[in-house]
Amino acid sequence: MKKKSKAFYVLWLFVMIFVMYMPIGVLAFYSFTDATQIGQTASFSVQNYISLVTNPELRGMIINTFVLAFFVAALSTILGTAAAIGVHFGKARKVETFISLGNQVPVVNSDVVTGFSICILLMVFLHMDKSTYLPLVIGHMTLCTPFVYLSVRPALKMFDMAHYEAAIDLGATPFYAMVFVVIKELLPAIGTGFVTAVTLSLDDYFVTTYTKPAVFDTVSTYVVNATKGAMTQIKTALWALSTVIAVIVLVAVLLNSHRLRKGETS
């Protein structure tokens, strides 16, 4: 009976995986054809992938997206980690409660609400110029920093303070002990927060739309605008871009899984 139950759950798992990832598989298939619409009969072609590299508009959009994502993720990681460490070592219960509650607001809020609120605050009340890119960076940091905090805070709660105190007793300065004992121990959690921030920035549409300069586009905003028009070559090249992103994410997940499995074995 148990074997039948296990077989059913395994079958159900494969069915769900198939249903979720079949659209990506179809998109990947047609990205290697010269079809202009999904479902058309077409021949093999890599022109869509060539367009990603040779089309200046597409190339600039991809570069913009990744530069913004990694820049914002780096700033958000520094800010979120510093906030988590400050709350942990400060040991002020009221401050911790206030920061934790404030941190939940961007997490539970809809992206469209966050983006619209940031737009009103920065550009209406503070009169910031969108052409400076500052509202865009602040908007993405508002979205990403809370998730870095949520990644680092649990790791700090499990951190053994005896290690930090031992370093101080052995002559290390507080700064040295913080960097080479505490932060070194937190690197896996900090890395998780950084990757999460990169993913959120890459995926965001609403905050970017409300805060970006008119001449700046990321993958999300560009895809929405391109699919509204009649730019067939651009649309099909975006199939290739979606496939590349899916493959990169899959490889990253597999490598991380292998690293974790190797660490458990060690």
Side-chain angles (χ1 to χ4, degrees), residues 22-58:
M22 182 181 64
I24 298 176
V26 172
L27 201 65
F29 173 79
Y30 278 96
S31 70
F32 286 99
T33 68
D34 57 4
T36 58
Q37 296 289 337
I38 299 292
Q40 281 185 348
T41 303
S43 56
F44 176 81
S45 172
V46 293
Q47 183 57 45
N48 291 327
Y49 291 88
I50 295 174
S51 297
L52 287 181
V53 181
T54 58
N55 188 304
E57 188 177 350
L58 285 173

Side-chain angles (χ1 to χ4, degrees), residues 86-250:
V87 167
H88 184 77
F89 282 85
K91 297 181 180 179
R93 185 68 179 174
K94 291 184 179 179
V95 174
E96 179 181 358
T97 303
F98 176 78
I99 292 179
S100 297
L101 289 175
N103 189 75
Q104 293 295 329
V105 175
V107 174
V108 300
N109 245 351
S110 171
D111 284 359
V112 64
V113 175
T114 302
F116 192 61
S117 301
I118 293 170
C119 178
I120 293 175
L121 174 64
L122 298 182
M123 281 165 280
V124 177
F125 288 99
L126 299 181
H127 303 288
M128 282 190 181
D129 188 358
K130 288 177 69 174
S131 63
T132 63
Y133 294 94
L134 190 58
L136 178 63
V137 172
I138 293 175
H140 275 243
M141 286 183 66
T142 303
L143 183 69
C144 299
T145 303
F147 289 91
V148 177
Y149 178 89
L150 290 176
S151 297
V152 177
R153 190 73 183 95
L156 271 169
K157 289 182 178 180
M158 294 186 293
F159 175 72
D160 188 355
M161 286 296 293
H163 296 166
Y164 175 80
E165 293 167 358
I168 297 294
D169 291 340
L170 292 171
T173 63
F175 176 78
Y176 185 94
M178 180 63 66
V179 173
F180 293 97
V181 178
V182 179
I183 294 181
K184 184 179 180 181
E185 188 76 19
L186 297 176
L187 282 180
I190 294 173
T192 300
F194 178 82
V195 173
T196 304
V198 170
T199 305
L200 288 169
S201 180
L202 289 175
D203 184 58
D204 178 72
Y205 170 74
F206 289 107
V207 174
T208 307
T209 299
Y210 284 118
T211 58
K212 75 179 184 68
V215 296
F216 185 89
D217 264 314
T218 61
V219 170
S220 57
T221 59
Y222 188 88
V223 167
V224 172
N225 294 330
T227 52
K228 290 178 180 177
M231 299 178 290
T232 302
Q233 185 181 1
I234 298 296
K235 288 181 181 179
T236 56
L238 293 175
W239 299 349
L241 177 60
S242 301
T243 303
V244 171
I245 293 175
V247 170
I248 291 173
V249 171
L250 178 62

